[in-house]
Amino acid sequence: NFKGRMGDRDAYVYLGSPAVVAASALAGFICAPKEFAERPAGTAIRHSEKKTQSPGSVEIIAGFPPSVRGRVLFVDKDNLNTDGIYGSKHTYRDDMTPEEMAAVTFENYDPNFNTLYRRGDIVVGGLNFGSGSSREQAATALKFKGIPCVIAASFSETYKRNAFNNGFVVFECPELVTHFRATLKNRAPTTVASEITIDYGKSVLTTDGKSFAFPPLSPAAQKLIVAGGAENLVASRLRAKSQKTA
């Protein structure tokens, strides 16, 4: 998503079908598969069964907040891609300040989002939040905005990794999304919901008098948040190592 991302500023990126990619990987150069038997596409859709998460206590490391409380902004959209979170017209600009990045979040999804938002609001989204492009700004811009975390029914794995690598908390709680969809009437693309309290130590969040469990945030994940991201964490470890050998 930016010049040089593939390792060289003059590198080219080619888009190919799975068959072409597999054949090219084996051949060592771009080519078409020599033999490819077509078959009708299947029509069955399989959904993995989501099991209710059991609460689990976890040790909170120094510097990580044991709990967070904030008003919910419910983004009622499944498969909200990164272009809806942070528009492509901003992605390739390297002259934007964190404040400018924060100001344009969700403008492609809901121009009213930034009118409703107030600092400290917690975003709750639907299934497959952050799908599509792997642009990291879709996570960092929300962090710059002052959003303490995003909770969703599920996340794109790329988005989830980008978030933690940049020191931003995201976690899944599909039961919470089901609750809001059942109780919030006259929902808009972005709807202001009730306050929520997140207890990271007990891995439980509470809203509307109900409690919902979510996967515990491991010490490794917490360290990424406290350090401000993977780059800072690695740098601090290298400094500590060099001081020991000095």
Side-chain angles (χ1 to χ4, degrees):
N1 290 326
F2 54 84
K3 200 170 181 64
R5 177 141 194 173
M6 300 306 295
D8 189 298
R9 294 182 67 82
D10 296 321
Y12 290 93
V13 178
Y14 296 90
L15 183 65
S17 69
V20 169
V21 171
S24 302
L26 292 173
F29 55 88
I30 297 176
C31 65
K34 295 180 180 178
E35 296 181 3
F36 183 68
E38 293 188 7
R39 63 180 182 180
T43 57
I45 300 175
R46 292 183 296 176
H47 296 281
S48 58
E49 184 178 346
K50 283 275 187 179
K51 295 183 178 180
T52 302
Q53 183 73 32
S54 299
S57 60
V58 64
E59 180 183 355
I60 301 299
I61 69 171
F64 189 86
S67 64
V68 170
R69 184 176 182 179
R71 188 183 68 162
V72 166
L73 286 185
F74 183 45
V75 176
D76 189 18
K77 175 72 174 176
D78 291 335
N79 303 306
L80 177 59
N81 63 32
T82 50
D83 192 58
I85 302 168
Y86 190 84
S88 59
K89 67 181 180 181
H90 307 299
T91 302
Y92 300 99
R93 290 184 55 189
D94 56 7
D95 61 341
M96 293 182 70
T97 65
E99 293 76 17
E100 289 171 332
M101 292 174 65
V104 298
T105 52
F106 292 103
E107 65 178 9
N108 282 356
Y109 165 67
D110 180 12
N112 197 41
F113 179 91
N114 288 302
T115 302
L116 295 172
Y117 173 79
R118 64 189 190 198
R119 191 170 183 84
D121 281 347
I122 294 168
V123 171
V124 176
L127 290 162
N128 200 26
F129 186 95
S131 59
S133 161
S134 62
R135 67 194 68 168
E136 295 178 350
Q137 297 95 325
T140 56
L142 302 189
K143 175 184 174 181
F144 296 151
K145 200 174 188 69
I147 295 171
C149 65
V150 174
I151 308 167
S154 64
F155 286 92
S156 153
E157 287 300 318
T158 301
Y159 185 89
K160 187 187 298 183
R161 177 47 55 194
N162 280 342
F164 279 101
N165 279 348
N166 284 282
F168 184 58
V169 176
V170 299
F171 62 88
E172 297 177 356
C173 187
E175 293 82 8
L176 176 66
V177 177
T178 300
H179 167 74
F180 282 138
R181 284 179 169 165
T183 58
L184 291 175
K185 307 302 180 184
N186 302 317
R187 297 194 306 273
T190 305
T191 304
V192 177
S194 50
E195 282 197 345
I196 193 170
T197 300
I198 303 169
D199 187 330
Y200 286 118
K202 295 180 179 178
S203 304
V204 171
L205 58 85
T206 306
T207 187
D208 295 332
K210 295 185 177 182
S211 295
F212 303 89
F214 59 87
L217 266 65
S218 68
Q222 295 178 43
K223 287 177 182 177
L224 285 169
I225 303 304
V226 172
E231 184 177 347
N232 291 340
L233 182 61
V234 171
S236 66
R237 288 176 175 175
L238 290 175
R239 284 194 298 269
K241 185 177 181 179
S242 64
Q243 290 171 359
K244 286 183 179 180
T245 57

